[in-house]
Amino acid sequence: MKRKFVAVWVLFFCVCFSLGRAQEGERVYEKAKPWITGGTTCILHLDLENLEPKQGFESGVELFRPLFPETLSTENNLTQAIDEIKSGLDVIEKKIGDIRKAGGRDFFLFVDLISPTAPVFAVVPLDTQDASAVAEAARIMEALPWTTREGQKAIDEDVVVAYYNDAIVILPALFPTDDKEGYAKSFFEARFRVENPLFLKGFSSAEDCSIKVVYVSNSFIQGALTTFKQFLEMGGDLALTIPNPSIITRGLETVALGIDWKKNTLKLDVYSRSEKAAANIINLYHLWREELVNIALESADENGGALQADTIDFWFEILKPTRDGAHIYWDFKENAAEYPIFFQNSGLPVGLLVGLIVPAVQEARDSARTMQFMNCYKQCGLAILNYEARHQKLPPAYSVDAEGKPLHSWRVLILPYLGEEELYRQIRLDEPWDSEWNQQFHDMCPAVFKDPRCSDAEPGDAMIAVVVGESTPFPPNGEQISIALVSDGTSNTVSLVQCEPMCWMDPASNVPYENAVLGPDMVEGGIVAGKNGETIVGMCDGSVWRIEEDQDFDWATGCNREDGEAF
């Protein structure tokens, strides 16, 4: 009798625990449901009540400290990056606390392909309608702690933060507006909301985690994958097998990634439409494993190739998923039991942290600096347009004296439109850039002309240039043209490119058209690409593009303002 009584109570508590978990998944789904459309393909959810990013990051660092005691005990790029991240996380945790006080428990980031011009937006539902709390929550979300004042100003122009449908929403600004609430209302009223229980399944799978990422397949993904597969096949021989898109869309009907540092949880759940679809995904996993191992063996010398092949094979083995019918899953705790030496009992796997966190730290810093550099391009582009609005002509590539001798770079001429009026007033524009008086300003290059990713540049080095040529927006010999003469269209014509470090005042510190058409890193004095191979360009309309290394970009057409061709 006593055993039966205990069994009943155990069963009761198990049922209650299961109901509690299910209710949490349902709670998150109910908060997300008003914003889901037929094009919603991915949702990131942060549980602000349980999210402690700094603690999680510090725990991760401590896990691999024994492996790198010397590296982490001396000042170097890695330890500097760690300190920067900790400082940033201090500010972020304070903002999380402030948002909670203002009535926000959840943060959602939606990827919604129903609007290709604005596919990403964020939502913070509030548990209060108190006007002061709402205003405070909006103020908190508007201020980004990790950017400069100039960067914040640029972000304010591109982002709308408004109160709509009992939530603070953060939207891309497709056009300038002062009516933020009206903008948000029109943005969301144009969307067709639908209920999608597949997101409920995903949130329920990851409900014990403070960080959840749920992906749900839809017709938009099917079409995009079909186009992508066709594009890849046009390139000729492929290193990896590219499967039929239906294998991916059916095999990945719902994907849920859950992370929680406090609970030592890292897991991935994949729900397929059938057992056969799930089996196809597993087969693809093993096929790619075999192909990557063979590529490593064939593309390197005997010793290096063998080492790379063994490393790839090892990671595929460690991260191999388990299939249970139509359900595919990977759980750190289960793998920890299978590989007790590799996975430490006290936390997430040391090897996984070394493999993921350390590169992620550097990648995050590089990405932030790239975004900062792109913002520099945008500020320069807007300054050029403001100059044109004032003078009815674009600035010259360089000014000239009465005899046609170069005096000053275009960078000097747009200083008043960059908030640098004081520096501009001190420079003697009627004297050459390298006159005895003007030499004192050579090391005062404004940050807007610099590449923040370049740590060894001199104080006076600029890395943003214009393309100079008869058919470009910036003709030689100090000539100026109206923007109306950019007949190919301002959004189709390159205005700004990255150059080798040169003195910012030097009128010759630009890229000649004949060098630009050769593409990045092809000739000295030409366009320069970043260390990852991508090239950043500014267009005549003020927009900024990132050109990937393998992207087919026609530089001759892009830099020509009047050849009658467009991208």
Side-chain angles (χ1 to χ4, degrees):
M1 182 67 182
K2 185 175 181 181
R3 289 183 179 179
K4 184 180 292 187
F5 178 79
V6 171
V8 170
W9 274 105
V10 169
L11 179 61
F12 174 77
F13 280 118
C14 289
V15 171
C16 291
F17 178 72
S18 299
L19 289 175
R21 288 170 53 87
Q23 289 173 356
E24 171 60 16
E26 291 175 1
R27 186 196 72 80
V28 176
Y29 174 67
E30 288 298 319
K31 291 289 186 180
K33 187 166 62 174
W35 313 93
I36 297 174
T37 74
T40 304
T41 189
C42 186
I43 303 176
L44 164 68
H45 171 255
L46 304 181
D47 182 354
L48 301 182
E49 282 195 354
N50 298 298
L51 186 65
E52 296 182 7
K54 186 176 181 181
Q55 176 186 332
F57 179 75
E58 290 179 338
S59 298
V61 172
E62 291 304 315
L63 278 176
F64 62 84
R65 187 177 293 277
L67 294 179
F68 305 100
E70 297 300 325
T71 300
L72 294 177
S73 62
T74 58
E75 185 175 346
N76 51 57
N77 288 338
L78 177 60
T79 55
Q80 290 176 8
I82 290 174
D83 290 340
E84 289 177 12
I85 291 176
K86 286 181 179 179
S87 299
L89 291 177
D90 281 332
V91 180
I92 291 173
E93 287 197 342
K94 182 180 183 305
K95 292 179 81 64
I96 290 174
D98 292 340
I99 294 170
R100 287 200 299 259
K101 292 177 183 177
R105 171 178 176 175
D106 306 282
F107 176 93
F108 293 97
L109 186 69
F110 292 84
V111 177
D112 195 331
L113 302 183
I114 204 169
S115 175
T117 56
V120 179
F121 62 90
V123 176
V124 181
L126 299 182
D127 294 330
T128 178
Q129 295 182 348
D130 179 74
S132 61
V134 169
E136 178 64 13
R139 185 193 65 78
I140 294 167
M141 298 308 298
E142 282 178 338
L144 300 181
W146 53 82
T147 188
T148 62
R149 182 183 302 174
E150 293 77 11
Q152 180 67 49
K153 183 178 179 182
I155 290 172
D156 290 341
E157 296 175 353
D158 297 332
V159 176
V160 169
V161 179
Y163 180 63
Y164 174 78
N165 197 20
D166 298 331
I168 300 298
V169 294
I170 305 163
L171 312 168
L174 301 180
F175 54 84
T177 180
D178 293 327
D179 182 11
K180 295 182 179 180
E181 276 66 31
Y183 180 93
K185 182 179 179 181
S186 61
F187 181 88
F188 287 109
E189 286 185 348
R191 309 167 82 85
F192 297 97
R193 301 174 189 171
V194 299
E195 291 195 20
N196 194 334
L198 293 178
F199 280 107
L200 172 59
K201 180 190 290 188
F203 286 129
S204 297
S205 294
E207 60 194 348
D208 58 340
C209 299
S210 56
I211 303 175
K212 312 172 189 68
V213 180
V214 177
Y215 158 88
V216 168
S217 184
N218 55 37
S219 59
F220 291 88
I221 292 295
Q222 175 81 30
L225 287 176
T226 300
T227 302
F228 183 62
K229 183 176 187 295
Q230 294 171 348
F231 174 77
L232 290 177
E233 290 174 342
M234 289 173 59
D237 296 334
L238 297 174
L240 291 177
T241 298
I242 304 300
N244 189 299
S246 63
I247 293 179
I248 302 296
T249 54
R250 293 178 180 275
L252 304 180
E253 181 185 60
T254 307
V255 179
L257 173 66
I259 304 172
D260 197 301
W261 292 98
K262 291 169 62 177
K263 299 176 183 177
N264 193 25
T265 299
L266 174 62
K267 62 181 183 179
L268 178 70
D269 288 277
V270 178
Y271 297 95
S272 301
R273 296 182 183 178
S274 66
E275 292 189 21
K276 181 179 179 181
N280 285 335
I281 289 293
I282 294 295
N283 292 337
L284 183 62
Y285 180 88
H286 292 301
L287 176 62
W288 280 350
R289 174 179 182 173
E290 179 181 348
E291 290 179 339
L292 285 171
V293 167
N294 290 334
I295 290 171
L297 289 172
E298 295 171 359
S299 62
D301 60 75
E302 184 177 351
N303 294 328
L307 177 61
Q308 292 177 26
D310 286 342
T311 302
I312 291 171
D313 196 52
F314 173 74
W315 277 106
F316 268 92
E317 177 64 24
I318 288 294
L319 300 175
K320 67 180 180 182
T322 301
R323 185 172 74 87
D324 181 11
H327 179 206
I328 303 171
Y329 66 91
W330 183 90
D331 193 319
F332 155 66
K333 292 180 180 178
E334 289 191 12
N335 283 53
E338 188 172 353
Y339 301 94
I341 296 178
F342 178 71
F343 292 89
Q344 305 301 310
N345 294 328
S346 59
L348 291 175
V350 173
L352 194 59
L353 288 170
V354 174
L356 298 179
I357 292 183
V358 175
V361 168
Q362 187 60 45
E363 184 177 349
R365 295 182 70 187
D366 291 343
S367 178
R369 288 171 178 168
T370 297
M371 293 299 294
Q372 186 178 349
F373 192 33
M374 293 179 69
N375 185 50
C376 291
Y377 270 81
K378 184 169 185 178
Q379 291 184 62
C380 289
L382 292 177
I384 289 173
L385 291 175
N386 287 331
Y387 179 101
E388 197 276 341
R390 172 69 177 82
H391 298 276
Q392 305 304 308
K393 289 185 178 181
L394 293 169
Y398 49 85
S399 61
V400 296
D401 61 15
E403 299 178 356
K405 295 180 180 178
L407 290 176
H408 291 283
S409 166
W410 61 274
R411 303 181 191 89
V412 174
L413 305 179
I414 68 169
L415 286 177
Y417 307 94
L418 291 168
E420 296 284 352
E421 293 89 345
E422 183 177 351
L423 176 59
Y424 180 76
R425 286 195 296 267
Q426 296 181 65
I427 297 173
R428 294 179 179 174
L429 300 178
D430 57 345
E431 296 182 10
W433 70 282
D434 55 354
S435 68
E436 183 177 355
W437 172 263
N438 286 331
Q439 286 182 18
Q440 63 181 304
F441 307 110
H442 284 188
D443 289 341
M444 298 185 184
C445 179
V448 71
F449 301 128
K450 292 176 172 291
D451 183 351
R453 303 169 300 180
C454 186
S455 58
D456 57 351
E458 297 295 329
D461 284 345
M463 280 147 264
I464 295 181
V466 297
V467 179
V468 180
E470 294 290 348
S471 59
T472 76
F474 301 94
N477 305 320
E479 295 181 22
Q480 293 179 260
I481 67 166
S482 165
I483 200 168
L485 293 180
V486 183
S487 56
D488 286 350
T490 55
S491 62
N492 294 317
T493 307
V494 173
S495 171
L496 301 168
V497 295
Q498 184 173 356
C499 65
E500 298 168 356
M502 306 178 189
C503 180
W504 73 285
M505 296 180 69
D506 186 351
S509 57
N510 287 304
V511 177
Y513 177 77
E514 55 270 20
N515 290 350
V517 299
L518 300 176
D521 296 334
M522 297 301 294
V523 63
E524 185 176 352
I527 298 174
V528 175
K531 65 179 182 180
N532 58 356
E534 70 178 11
T535 307
I536 301 174
V537 298
M539 310 303 286
C540 283
D541 65 348
S543 62
V544 182
W545 292 7
R546 296 168 73 164
I547 311 299
E548 302 296 337
E549 183 177 15
D550 57 352
Q551 187 171 344
D552 185 14
F553 187 89
D554 189 337
W555 291 96
T557 296
C559 296
N560 193 313
R561 72 173 194 268
E562 57 183 6
D563 62 355
E565 297 185 22
F567 300 92

